[in-house]
Amino acid sequence: MTTTAADAAPTTGDGPPSDRTVPTNREAMLEKIADLAEQHAKALAGGGQRYIDRHHARGKLLARERIELLLDEGAPFLELSTLAAWGTDFPVGGSIVTGIGVVEGVECMIIANDPTVKGGSSNPLTVKKGLRAAQIAAENRLPTINLVESGGADLPTQKDIFIPGGATFRNITRSSAARVPTVALVFGNSTAGGAYVPGMSDYVVMVKEGAKVFLGGPPLVKMATGEESDDESLGGAEMHARTSGLADYLAVDEYDAIRLGRQIVRRLNWRKQGPSAAASYAEPAFDVDELLDLVPSDLKVPFDPREVIARIVDGAPEGGSGFDEFKPLYGSSLVTGFASVHGFPIGILANAQGVLFSEEAQKATQFIQLANQTDTPLLFLHNTTGYMVGAEYEQGGIIKHGAQMINAVSNSTVPHISVVIGASYGAGHYGMSGRAYDPRFMFSWPNAKSAVMGPAQLAGVISIVARGAAEAKGQPYDEDGDKQMRAFIEKQIEEQSLAYFTSGLLYDDGVIDPRDTRTVLGICLSAIATAPVEGARGYGVFRL
Amino acid sequence: MIQKVLVANRGEIARRVFATCRALGIATVAVHSDADADAPFVRDADAAVRLPGNAPGETYLRGDLVIAAAQASGADAIHPGYGFLSENADFAAAVRDAGLVWIGPDPEAIEAMGSKVRSKELMAAAGGPVAGMLEPEAMTTSDLPLVVKASSGGGGRGMRVVRDLDALPAAMEQAAAEAGSAFGDTTVFVEHYLEHARHIEVQVMADSHGTCWVLGDRDCSLQRRHQKVVEEAPAPGLSDATRTALHDAARSLVKQVGYTGAGTVEFLVEERDEHGQSVEERDEQSALISFLEMNTRLQVEHPVTEAVTGLDLVALQIAVAEGRALQEVAGMSEPPAPRGHAIEVRLYAEDAADDFSPQTGTVRSFDLPGSVARFTGPSAYGLRLDSGVEAGSEVGIHYDAMLAKVIAYGPDRASAIRTLRGALGRTRLHGVTTNLDLLHGILGAPEFAAGKLSTLLLEERIDDWSAPRADASAIADYATAAALAAAVAAAESAPVLSRIPAGFRNVASQPHTASYVVRGEEVSVAYASVVGRLTPQAADSDDDAVVPVASVVTADRVVLERDGVARAYAVARDGASIDVDGPAGPLDLTVVPRFTDPADQVVAGSLLAPMPGSVISVGVEQGQAVSQGDVVVVLEAMKMQHTITAPTDGVVTELAVSAGSQVESGAVLAVIEGTDEGETA
């Protein structure tokens, strides 16, 4: 890169400034960001104002109020899977809040039930979101703090909860066995299966006259044994603190529980096991705000990922973009190179022209091996329409080469982070370390789309296949019906490939404002550095 | 010549004398109480001698200890400063008897001037203006108002204003009783009370060769509770005739007494019309002058005279004590005529809003930005600071609440006012409540600018002038600056993610909030991290107050913009204290903690059950006095007996259990309120 910070125009390339700053890009992106805020507001609204007011009237704090109190002053909180259940029949947010926050200087996974949504009861998306948070905690060795107040399983949907939900409790004790502490702050109901959240945790705090932790409540006990009992004697905080010993700390109120939670974390003697960030580094050479100008409102128009990278990675010490491009003259439809983000070294793979050819696949394979050789985490910036099709490419071995890339991604052991900044179609999604390839973190920009292929292409393919079938049977083809069918499919695929939709199914960890990308990556890389970072070993790097 | 001076004083005046001594090459010795052991004046001195204890009667008033300290440290002279032993004739004599040089007038002069009755007689003998001492029995309503004064009085003690003839006898009795207990002298007398008078004083300096210099005059009319607050030189708006009369009277008194050294002759001056009624306009023909007293020492407000004359009065005091001639030392045959105008304000640790009650605390910072002379000068138009405290100084209960004096010198009165007000506006002072806002208010008042001064003016206008510079809206901005800076500071000092934007939220559910206590009231502010920038928010969603825009936010500096005007706030933190300096001056904020440990909420003196158990016996009754170690409760738990004893001497104010009671761990058994140990100390 030859550009310096002195360049006024938001460009990092050697060419003349193009029309990248056309205001419509910015307006379109700001509109999408505003819409994202509206979608997030659905999750923030929890069970609605009535239930929020009722909860407050009981002197209780909301899930996010508890989290805000728990976090260190000035510390960030990266909320995850906020749009869980978007596009499903369940309330957006999944009646649970998860995220990475700093408590007493320790990066923790924080999991809080939202008691305003059906009493905090778990639906299938709650379970899925909770398990994803547990996976992130386990992979990155993050201590977990559970802020518990849940009415248990949402019984009508128990079939999708009961069996998979068991992993929730297994994960807590596996974390403990891995010497990653777990803390449960119990504010309210934590009954039946839910009782095993405090039950399995290393440290348990219960709020006086708030926590109710029992396997069976008074009615169930009456049914089972005929014994007359009450909530407090079966599972009150005082009982557990003084009699059963399930509670290690008795909190006088919710604030006190959070204070005790912080006190517990303060004494964990926590040490991160991964690499340290550089002590000093430069902010990006270009204004992060200009990311809004870069992305064309039409996904079919490619854009230069170097422009994005220059606004995400640390600036070069001597000024200019801190991105050192690898193999810039080969396989130019995929940009590869090294940089650092908030002082953490990182290798980057970013789609430049959408399509992946054999050269791009081989370049990616070599680059992923290089990153593994040096224990360097990888960042994938998705904007791909997939691997190239056509006789020439098939004969040139595109499958073999694509397979090499997917092989390298699959067996790479350095942490991956994926950000979908545009399209993520077809096997390109796989090769770029899509959800199924277990990136440590995966986020989408609001303009992102993920699907097997573009909606128009998919509808067109179905149309061609249907027309072929009709011709084979010698039947006339219904052109009007075809038109309607194509419009319908296009609309359906369009909706289902939207970032909200994929995020709703937990296929990413959240939809983010592009301007927050650098910060989000910084938080993720620091979380990743809580566990050791080690690349795959075996053969030397294959020159492909 | 004097080689080593012991200053029998503390605070700013000790530092002031040391400064001149250093300039002259004279070694310095401090004496100090225990509370002052770490005070700046002790560090300023070449040597220091401890006076055990804290009360003035044990320390700075103990002439015998001071003289012993001088002898132990090898000092050959003692400078008394002002207050304490400075006007104690016996002490002055004892110093001389000990073979030491006394930097002050002869004991006889001190003694003569120490009595108001005697000094009035001397002034009368010198032909000066003395208000007649009146016959209490002969008073009529036309004589009202009257004032009863104690002969040995000062600082308003032993003084009563009488507006009703029937109240006169009682006032005299009270004044006599008060004077008797305060000064050991019940002599009182009655004068006409000059209600709209100004306090004007004349600085004199006389040597032992018969030279007496009158070094101009000062107006010290702005007083609260008979304590001066603002002083200036020369006294503004005096007619030449009045000024000459004052100077002549002062010179005559000095001659009459044979006075040597620095002294101040104090007068009340009231303008009157032909009917004897006071008027606001100055009328040189009818100025009524009344001699008050002579102070036989350096005055607190001497710096304004130094500024306008260019003389170092302490250097002259030392020279006179050495027996040298003023002309020779000063290098001039006549005293310099005052040039320009100087104003001094006294910075007190006191709460003007609470009847000037003295305040205590630790000075966390004290800074007067800009070019400021210290203890001498200024040599050109500008500022001078005479301060007894600096960052880290403790302001305690034992001594005078004056922290420092700020002096401005300008070509004319208006310039001096502007310079001084500007300096006070920029002053950074945290940790102790002071009268800084009041001083700033006085200097901004039109009456003060117009020179319409009287001894009652300050108390009449106190409510307006002491209004805090920072109103509720300003306090909210200070708190916002504090909160934003605190967030950045916390983020930057965090062990992880220290360069991630402070308070970052990818999904903002609610603003960050912070609460502070400012002047006893809780203030809450809110802010959010918007795309990595800290942005003030309305603290209350119903509040339609416009929040400022934060254009710069660092750990120690925040710039807030309102209506396109950017104003900077400097923020410093020390534990729960946050000190903010902004456009309305310094403001101290105390963080309201997010959490309170319930253990801290137990009543002090509570005895708690160490473990659950049952009470075997109770050894006390409610209200009973107990001594340390007395058995209060015997508890049986885990088959072991635990004896709970009184931790200190005190009284059982609460007894929560009786024999047979079952108690939980941490339950309050009894509360014992300790007796005050301070009284036995």
Side-chain angles (χ1 to χ4, degrees):
Chain A
M1 301 301 290
T2 55
T3 315
T4 69
D7 289 54
T11 172
T12 61
D14 293 333
S18 64
D19 60 349
R20 290 179 196 108
T21 54
V22 172
T24 52
N25 287 355
R26 169 173 288 263
E27 285 165 10
M29 186 58 88
L30 284 172
E31 201 175 299
K32 288 191 175 78
I33 291 167
D35 187 55
L36 173 63
E38 282 181 31
Q39 306 312 315
H40 280 160
K42 293 177 184 172
L44 299 178
Q49 197 58 46
R50 202 176 123 230
Y51 289 96
I52 289 173
D53 291 344
R54 197 173 74 177
H55 192 70
H56 276 151
R58 290 172 177 162
K60 286 171 154 282
L61 297 163
L62 300 177
R64 287 181 179 81
E65 289 171 344
R66 290 170 180 160
I67 292 172
E68 292 289 340
L69 275 170
L70 180 63
L71 297 169
D72 290 351
E73 182 181 19
F77 181 63
L78 177 62
E79 188 172 322
L80 300 165
S81 315
T82 308
L83 296 177
W86 197 97
T88 72
D89 294 337
F90 299 103
V92 173
S95 73
I96 190 174
V97 184
T98 65
I100 296 172
V102 184
V103 178
E104 292 287 343
V106 178
E107 291 150 297
C108 296
M109 173 59 69
I110 299 169
I111 302 175
N113 300 114
D114 184 347
T116 68
V117 185
K118 291 190 174 179
S121 61
S122 297
N123 61 50
L125 269 301
T126 315
V127 171
K128 209 169 178 183
K129 181 169 170 178
L131 293 179
R132 171 59 188 154
Q135 183 189 6
I136 291 171
E139 289 175 349
N140 300 293
R141 292 187 64 80
L142 302 178
T144 298
I145 306 173
N146 269 294
L147 309 182
V148 186
E149 179 163 19
S150 167
D154 176 44
L155 291 177
T157 55
Q158 66 84 28
K159 70 177 169 54
D160 295 320
I161 301 168
F162 171 59
I163 291 173
T168 305
F169 317 114
R170 176 206 66 190
N171 289 338
I172 296 172
T173 188
R174 283 194 176 168
S175 172
S176 181
R179 299 164 65 88
V180 181
T182 57
V183 180
L185 310 180
V186 187
F187 296 91
N189 283 318
S190 178
T191 55
Y196 287 103
V197 172
M200 306 310 293
S201 294
D202 294 334
Y203 298 87
V204 177
V205 178
M206 294 193 195
V207 176
K208 190 175 174 178
E209 287 157 19
K212 281 194 194 78
V213 185
F214 40 62
L215 292 183
L220 194 147
V221 170
K222 172 87 171 158
M223 283 296 296
T225 68
E227 182 189 352
E228 294 283 351
S229 56
D230 59 50
D231 285 350
E232 278 299 313
S233 64
L234 287 175
E238 295 251 10
M239 186 283 284
H240 281 305
R242 298 180 194 282
T243 310
S244 80
L246 177 60
D248 306 311
Y249 302 84
L250 177 66
V252 299
D253 56 21
E254 297 207 0
Y255 281 82
D256 194 36
I258 295 165
R259 181 188 70 84
L260 287 164
R262 290 176 55 80
Q263 176 185 307
I264 290 163
V265 175
R266 182 159 70 235
R267 299 299 181 189
L268 289 181
N269 189 24
W270 187 244
R271 287 150 297 182
K272 296 177 62 140
Q273 297 180 359
S276 306
S280 73
Y281 52 87
E283 289 298 305
F286 300 92
D287 189 349
V288 166
D289 187 64
E290 291 164 359
L291 285 172
L292 298 176
D293 302 315
L294 295 176
V295 182
S297 51
D298 182 357
L299 262 191
K300 287 196 281 290
V301 180
F303 57 96
D304 188 346
R306 296 174 190 85
E307 304 277 17
V308 174
I309 292 167
R311 286 164 182 81
I312 289 177
V313 304
D314 301 340
E318 65 276 16
S321 173
F323 181 56
D324 298 335
E325 194 166 348
F326 172 74
K327 231 168 167 124
L329 303 179
Y330 186 86
S332 59
S333 183
L334 179 78
V335 173
T336 56
F338 294 102
S340 69
V341 174
H342 280 289
F344 290 100
I346 195 163
I348 301 173
L349 298 93
N351 306 111
Q353 299 295 331
V355 186
L356 292 161
F357 298 92
S358 288
E359 289 86 345
E360 280 75 14
Q362 292 187 313
K363 178 179 174 179
T365 305
Q366 186 185 356
F367 186 73
I368 290 166
Q369 292 183 80
L370 288 169
N372 274 269
Q373 185 188 42
T374 58
D375 303 333
T376 306
L378 286 168
L379 170 65
F380 295 82
L381 298 176
H382 297 226
N383 188 17
T384 178
T385 51
Y387 293 97
M388 193 61 194
V389 295
E392 181 192 344
Y393 304 102
E394 299 287 6
Q395 289 164 15
I398 186 73
I399 296 175
K400 280 196 326 187
H401 298 132
Q404 285 171 354
M405 182 171 169
I406 293 170
N407 181 343
V409 164
S410 302
N411 293 302
S412 162
T413 60
V414 294
H416 296 177
I417 300 175
S418 273
V419 181
V420 185
I421 63 173
S424 188
Y425 291 149
H429 177 81
Y430 303 159
M432 293 295 286
S433 198
R435 174 51 106 207
Y437 292 78
D438 280 341
R440 292 284 179 90
F441 293 96
M442 182 153 183
F443 296 96
S444 303
W445 284 5
N447 56 308
K449 282 180 190 161
S450 302
V452 66
M453 63 184 78
Q457 289 84 345
L458 195 144
V461 168
I462 290 175
S463 167
I464 290 166
V465 172
R467 188 185 302 272
E471 279 169 10
K473 291 176 189 168
Q475 294 170 348
Y477 194 60
D478 179 357
E479 294 295 341
D480 280 354
D482 178 79
K483 208 171 169 183
Q484 279 179 16
M485 181 273 292
R486 281 167 60 159
F488 175 78
I489 289 179
E490 210 173 313
K491 182 165 176 288
Q492 186 193 28
I493 298 302
E494 169 78 22
E495 281 172 1
Q496 293 182 350
S497 44
L498 282 176
Y500 302 151
F501 193 84
T502 47
S503 203
L505 295 174
L506 277 300
Y507 290 152
D508 66 25
D509 297 314
V511 183
I512 59 171
D513 184 328
R515 294 168 293 182
D516 286 341
T517 305
R518 171 177 165 78
T519 301
V520 169
L521 290 176
I523 296 170
C524 291
L525 286 166
S526 182
I528 283 169
T530 307
V533 172
E534 197 174 304
R537 300 290 183 255
Y539 295 98
V541 174
F542 288 103
R543 173 161 296 287
L544 297 167
Chain B
M1 289 179 83
I2 292 169
Q3 300 299 333
K4 188 182 281 189
V5 168
L6 180 146
V7 176
N9 216 301
R10 62 180 300 281
E12 64 88 18
I13 191 60
R15 303 187 81 188
R16 160 65 210 89
V17 176
F18 291 152
T20 288
C21 288
R22 265 198 307 277
L24 296 175
I26 298 172
T28 55
V29 180
V31 288
H32 65 86
S33 66
D34 290 336
D36 282 338
D38 294 322
F41 79 88
V42 178
R43 276 178 270 143
D44 277 3
D46 298 324
V49 178
R50 174 184 172 223
L51 304 176
N54 285 318
E58 299 176 278
T59 55
Y60 299 108
L61 289 172
R62 282 287 298 275
D64 54 337
L65 295 183
V66 170
I67 290 169
Q71 289 168 331
S73 60
D76 50 10
I78 292 179
H79 191 297
Y82 52 74
F84 294 129
L85 295 165
S86 63
E87 292 178 288
N88 182 321
D90 292 343
F91 175 67
V95 168
R96 287 188 172 171
D97 290 346
L100 302 168
V101 176
W102 167 249
I103 303 175
D106 292 335
E108 298 73 28
I110 297 174
E111 180 138 27
M113 293 300 133
S115 157
K116 281 193 167 67
V117 173
R118 173 92 182 107
S119 65
K120 276 170 180 282
E121 287 167 6
L122 287 164
M123 180 57 104
V130 177
M133 287 188 214
L134 307 168
E135 286 295 323
E137 297 75 20
M139 292 298 98
T140 66
T141 48
S142 64
D143 290 307
L144 293 173
L146 295 166
V147 61
V148 183
K149 288 184 181 174
S151 178
S152 303
R157 283 193 292 182
M159 193 172 125
R160 288 284 185 287
V161 174
V162 177
R163 297 177 190 281
D164 179 354
L165 275 185
D166 296 341
L168 182 57
M172 292 186 67
E173 269 178 45
Q174 289 165 2
E178 198 171 292
S181 67
F183 312 110
D185 174 7
T186 59
T187 312
V188 296
F189 57 90
V190 179
E191 280 181 1
H192 284 297
Y193 181 53
L194 303 185
E195 201 143 23
H196 295 279
R198 298 167 63 189
H199 176 113
I200 293 173
E201 59 189 30
V202 177
Q203 176 71 51
V204 296
M205 180 68 75
D207 64 20
S208 53
H209 304 276
T211 301
C212 172
W213 281 359
V214 170
L215 298 175
D217 42 70
R218 299 186 285 257
D219 183 301
C220 311
S221 299
L222 289 192
Q223 306 180 357
R224 48 96 184 140
R225 292 170 158 190
H226 307 285
Q227 286 259 6
K228 297 166 186 169
V229 176
V230 182
E231 299 113 331
E232 51 187 307
L238 276 192
S239 68
D240 290 346
T242 303
R243 174 162 280 130
T244 303
L246 292 169
H247 290 197
D248 288 349
R251 189 180 292 107
S252 302
L253 182 62
V254 167
K255 297 278 186 194
Q256 181 75 27
V257 183
Y259 190 89
T260 56
T264 298
V265 185
E266 298 188 332
F267 300 92
L268 285 180
V269 178
E270 185 173 290
E271 263 68 33
R272 294 207 161 189
D273 65 14
E274 61 274 23
H275 307 297
Q277 298 300 305
S278 65
V279 292
E280 295 207 338
E281 291 74 29
R282 310 281 178 243
D283 178 347
E284 59 189 73
Q285 298 307 316
S286 59
L288 196 151
I289 301 172
S290 171
F291 169 67
L292 273 175
E293 62 176 334
M294 180 172 185
N295 291 322
T296 56
R297 54 171 163 85
L298 197 65
Q299 297 276 98
V300 174
E301 57 271 25
H302 74 275
V304 290
T305 298
E306 294 190 321
V308 297
T309 60
L311 296 171
D312 180 335
L313 296 187
V314 172
L316 294 182
Q317 278 188 300
I318 292 172
V320 168
E322 289 174 327
R324 301 165 73 183
L326 284 174
Q327 289 101 328
E328 175 202 327
V329 180
M332 50 185 81
S333 55
E334 291 295 319
R339 192 175 70 90
H341 198 92
I343 304 182
E344 170 184 286
V345 289
R346 300 189 189 186
L347 196 55
Y348 286 102
E350 65 183 16
D351 187 354
D354 182 24
D355 201 21
F356 300 105
S357 60
Q359 302 290 304
T360 59
T362 302
V363 177
R364 284 192 299 275
S365 60
F366 182 25
D367 184 23
L368 193 59
S371 173
V372 181
R374 311 260 165 177
F375 298 111
T376 56
S379 54
Y381 297 137
L383 291 163
R384 166 173 169 179
L385 172 66
D386 284 22
S387 174
V389 300
E390 46 194 41
S393 294
E394 291 279 344
V395 178
I397 55 168
H398 302 293
Y399 314 110
D400 187 73
M402 194 180 84
L403 303 178
K405 307 176 305 204
V406 187
I407 302 101
Y409 177 40
D412 51 52
R413 188 168 186 267
S415 305
I417 291 174
R418 188 173 68 183
T419 301
L420 189 51
R421 188 162 193 257
L424 295 176
R426 295 189 305 274
T427 294
R428 298 176 169 191
L429 174 52
H430 295 281
V432 184
T433 300
T434 70
N435 64 340
L436 183 61
D437 281 357
L438 169 63
L439 299 177
H440 192 263
I442 291 171
L443 293 173
E447 297 99 315
F448 183 76
K452 293 179 181 174
L453 307 172
S454 86
T455 53
L456 284 181
L457 184 60
L458 176 52
E459 287 180 14
E460 286 169 0
R461 299 302 316 279
I462 186 67
D463 289 343
D464 293 338
W465 293 353
S466 64
R469 270 181 287 169
D471 60 12
S473 156
I475 288 173
D477 281 1
Y478 273 72
T480 297
L484 299 184
V488 170
E492 287 178 350
S493 62
V496 294
L497 301 174
S498 57
R499 280 184 59 183
I500 294 294
F504 171 82
R505 300 287 183 269
N506 59 323
V507 181
S509 60
Q510 58 201 294
H512 300 275
T513 56
S515 295
Y516 303 97
V517 174
V518 183
R519 298 198 196 114
E521 308 231 341
E522 190 164 326
V523 182
S524 294
V525 293
Y527 59 94
S529 171
V530 179
V531 199
R533 288 178 71 96
L534 289 178
T535 308
Q537 309 269 299
D540 180 347
S541 50
D542 300 333
D543 188 356
D544 54 4
V546 180
V547 295
V549 175
S551 51
V552 176
V553 182
T554 67
D556 55 9
R557 185 167 181 271
V558 173
V559 176
L560 299 180
E561 286 184 20
R562 279 188 180 278
D563 303 324
V565 181
R567 293 185 176 87
Y569 297 77
V571 184
R573 280 165 299 279
D574 180 5
S577 299
I578 301 194
D579 300 334
V580 184
D581 292 286
L587 200 64
D588 293 5
L589 298 87
T590 306
V591 177
V592 177
R594 259 197 280 178
F595 306 106
T596 311
D597 188 336
D600 298 340
Q601 294 168 334
V602 175
V603 179
S606 296
L607 300 181
L608 307 182
M611 55 182 64
S614 58
V615 175
I616 300 286
S617 65
V618 176
V620 297
E621 288 176 8
Q622 183 142 352
Q624 181 183 332
V626 292
S627 303
Q628 183 176 348
D630 285 359
V631 174
V632 179
V633 169
V634 179
L635 202 63
E636 186 187 72
M638 303 298 293
K639 302 193 176 74
M640 300 276 286
Q641 285 196 0
H642 299 266
T643 304
I644 317 295
T645 59
T648 58
D649 296 359
V651 174
V652 180
T653 56
E654 194 185 321
L655 189 59
V657 295
S658 56
S661 299
Q662 296 289 322
V663 294
E664 298 290 356
S665 174
V668 175
L669 302 172
V671 179
I672 295 182
E673 210 166 282
T675 45
D676 187 7
E677 291 170 81
E679 290 172 10
T680 58

